[in-house]
Amino acid sequence: MAVSRRDVLWWTGAAVAAGGAVAAGGAPAAAGRGRWARLRAHLAGELLLPGDGGYDAARLPFNSLFDHHRPAAIARCVRVEDVQRCLEEARRGGVRVAARGGGHSYAAYSTPHDGLVVDLGPMNGVEVRPDGTAVIGAGARLGDVYAALAAAGRCLPLGNCPSVGIAGLTLGGGLGWVDRAYGLTCDWLRAARVVTVDSRRVTASADREPDLFWALRGGGGGNFGVVTSFEFATAPAPEVLTVFRLRFPAGSAADVLGAWQPWSSGAPDHVSSTCVVLPDGSVDLTGCSTGPGGPLLAELARLGLDAPLEHAEVDYPTATAIMTQGHPPRNAFRASSRIADGLWDDPAAVAGTVRDKGSALLIVGALGGAIDRLGPTDTAYPHRGAPTSVEVFGTVGDLPREQVTREVDDAQAELAGLIGAGTYINYLDPEQEDWAQTAYRHNLPRLRAVARRYDPDRVLRFPQAVRGR
């Protein structure tokens, strides 16, 4: 394989950044020290290096399987100028950059084992303007965004884990618990402020940098530049939501999924639902309706399944608190996903992909509704028209990592043959060989063209970047 000058610069820069030197006291080590000293002198925020107080806490990713990752440096950016300086120094020294918002990258790509982390966590402001426009810093997390929106009486479709960052969620598309009613998070994006790898500030919107704006809505995080803030349209918060839960016993998964999928795909847009399928075949069906309970109860009667029903009519702030509760701050897990091409032919086989496995479960979400009001090329998110998404999730806990990896991999491979090979880019799986084609599908060539334009030297690169390593 031919090695370009760019590759040599990148690998050399990464080695120096990680603390490597050709010889003790040699020029590369001195260059590394000089780089970080220069960067630290120009940052308003902190620069954390290995050995600094606070470094070990700051480097930990959400997925503790990757706690061994040790970035060369972590820049805690508090202003746009900090981001610009980071990219300038990285480009000068051939050091790769990883942007980090909430740090929830499933494969810890936002906290790599080398290079410079541009940590946007301190840039976390949430402003809701009188006209309903929400201006949100790229370091904000969903719990804070929900709270600010609810206080202003506004609604934006978001995810169900409060510690997830707004940046990663939006850039990957943004599946959540009211997406059938409101669409994806990225569908409400009106503009993004971005620092490009050549340290320029640009605003991407429908009429300014339109190709970049298109790519930022579903093209995945860390591919095209470092987003520093987002501007969203919002909707008035619904006056009431009805949340519900149905629990089905062990061995019922085939029957539940067989009834649920056609029901969920034909339900009104205001009804969203998710099935969690456990290895023993039990199912936890939860969801909500943006409205009072009467219409929802009528819809649930159409489901035709007998199980104890828990439901409550609540206001919007209470609903967001209910739907985002119970998520651990950090854990060790393996995850993957598939997105269905159509209705399943064999729901029993779908349920069987995790039957008797010690770790893996399925999180099956209803798509459609408002998600499909845009076409599959209107944004970079390509899965418009798909009826369901299936996340395979395996918690390591006391189990061997190898067992969890095998069970998750086996389940996602079986699902590809049963329901379709689409994947959701926010559930990046390092073991999935077909991830680029299945996550981006027909939008992949255009995304790669945008990445070449905005990052020709691959300053932003990681194993599952749009353009590869």
Side-chain angles (χ1 to χ4, degrees):
M1 178 180 70
V3 179
S4 68
R5 176 178 178 274
R6 182 185 306 156
D7 292 329
V8 171
L9 283 174
W10 185 85
W11 286 110
T12 303
V16 171
V22 174
R33 289 193 298 271
R35 175 187 307 120
W36 302 133
R38 185 168 54 242
L39 180 56
R40 178 173 274 152
H42 288 92
L43 289 182
E46 277 188 295
L47 182 70
L48 299 173
L49 303 178
D52 289 345
Y55 170 86
D56 282 330
R59 72 176 175 82
L60 293 177
F62 177 72
N63 188 348
S64 58
L65 281 185
F66 300 96
D67 279 358
H68 60 283
H69 281 195
R70 298 184 64 82
I74 302 169
R76 299 272 294 161
C77 298
V78 300
R79 59 181 185 174
V80 175
E81 290 85 355
D82 288 351
V83 178
Q84 290 178 292
R85 181 63 69 171
C86 286
L87 288 167
E88 178 183 319
E89 288 294 342
R91 194 176 66 256
R92 176 189 298 178
V95 177
R96 74 164 169 173
V97 168
R100 183 170 71 184
H104 275 246
S105 169
Y106 274 19
Y109 293 140
S110 58
T111 309
H113 195 46
D114 54 36
L116 171 64
V117 174
V118 177
D119 186 352
L120 301 157
M123 301 173 67
N124 59 5
V126 183
E127 176 193 1
V128 184
R129 294 173 177 166
D131 67 354
T133 300
V135 180
I136 304 176
R141 295 174 183 251
L142 300 190
D144 294 330
V145 177
Y146 271 125
L149 290 170
R154 307 300 295 183
C155 173
L156 177 67
L158 299 169
N160 62 356
C161 183
S163 60
V164 162
I166 187 67
L169 177 77
T170 303
L171 298 173
L175 297 177
W177 58 273
V178 291
D179 48 18
R180 296 192 80 253
Y182 292 99
L184 304 176
T185 309
C186 73
D187 297 344
W188 293 75
L189 184 65
R190 296 297 175 264
R193 274 72 185 183
V194 185
V195 178
T196 58
V197 295
D198 56 359
S199 299
R200 292 183 300 121
R201 298 191 199 188
V202 303
T203 297
S205 65
D207 56 2
R208 292 177 291 178
E209 310 284 345
D211 286 341
L212 177 60
F213 182 60
W214 173 87
L216 294 175
R217 291 175 294 158
N223 282 307
F224 313 103
V226 178
V227 180
T228 58
S229 68
F230 300 86
E231 183 177 304
F232 294 97
T234 65
E239 293 183 7
V240 63
L241 289 92
T242 304
V243 296
F244 70 91
R245 184 175 194 174
L246 293 160
R247 302 190 206 194
F248 299 91
S252 62
D255 291 337
V256 173
L257 292 182
W260 172 83
Q261 203 207 30
W263 171 81
S264 65
S265 63
D269 292 359
H270 63 80
V271 178
S272 298
S273 59
T274 298
C275 290
V276 177
V277 181
L278 300 178
D280 65 357
S282 61
V283 180
D284 196 357
L285 170 55
T286 60
C288 72
S289 172
T290 53
L296 173 64
L297 295 179
E299 284 301 319
L300 290 173
R302 289 181 49 248
L303 181 58
L305 295 173
D306 185 22
L309 171 64
E310 305 169 44
H311 74 282
E313 293 184 13
V314 296
D315 60 20
Y316 181 68
T318 302
T320 61
I322 292 172
M323 300 301 286
T324 58
Q325 67 183 353
H327 293 271
R330 269 183 15 102
N331 59 347
F333 64 89
R334 280 275 295 114
S336 192
S337 74
R338 291 295 174 184
I339 291 182
D341 293 331
L343 296 182
W344 309 328
D345 294 325
D346 192 346
V350 172
T353 59
V354 293
R355 184 182 298 121
D356 299 327
K357 289 183 167 63
S359 66
L361 56 82
L362 302 180
I363 305 171
V364 188
L367 302 179
I371 296 172
D372 296 344
R373 293 174 192 168
L374 294 177
T377 60
D378 289 338
T379 68
Y381 176 84
H383 307 297
R384 314 283 180 173
T388 50
S389 67
V390 182
E391 180 181 5
V392 187
F393 193 93
T395 301
V396 174
D398 295 329
L399 297 172
R401 176 176 178 172
E402 295 75 14
Q403 175 187 340
V404 178
T405 296
R406 182 180 67 254
E407 291 180 348
V408 170
D409 290 346
D410 288 349
Q412 66 88 18
E414 290 177 49
L415 286 167
L418 291 169
I419 69 172
T423 55
Y424 180 41
I425 196 61
N426 276 351
Y427 300 154
L428 269 177
D429 176 6
E431 304 299 323
Q432 247 178 5
E433 295 182 359
D434 61 351
W435 67 271
Q437 289 71 31
T438 59
Y440 297 123
R441 297 197 153 178
H442 46 272
N443 290 331
L444 181 59
R446 184 177 176 187
L447 282 167
R448 284 178 168 164
V450 175
R452 283 194 299 271
R453 175 182 171 189
Y454 285 92
D455 186 12
D457 295 324
R458 297 189 180 184
V459 175
L460 301 164
R461 70 186 200 176
F462 52 96
Q464 288 176 288
V466 163
R467 294 177 64 197
R469 291 178 180 271

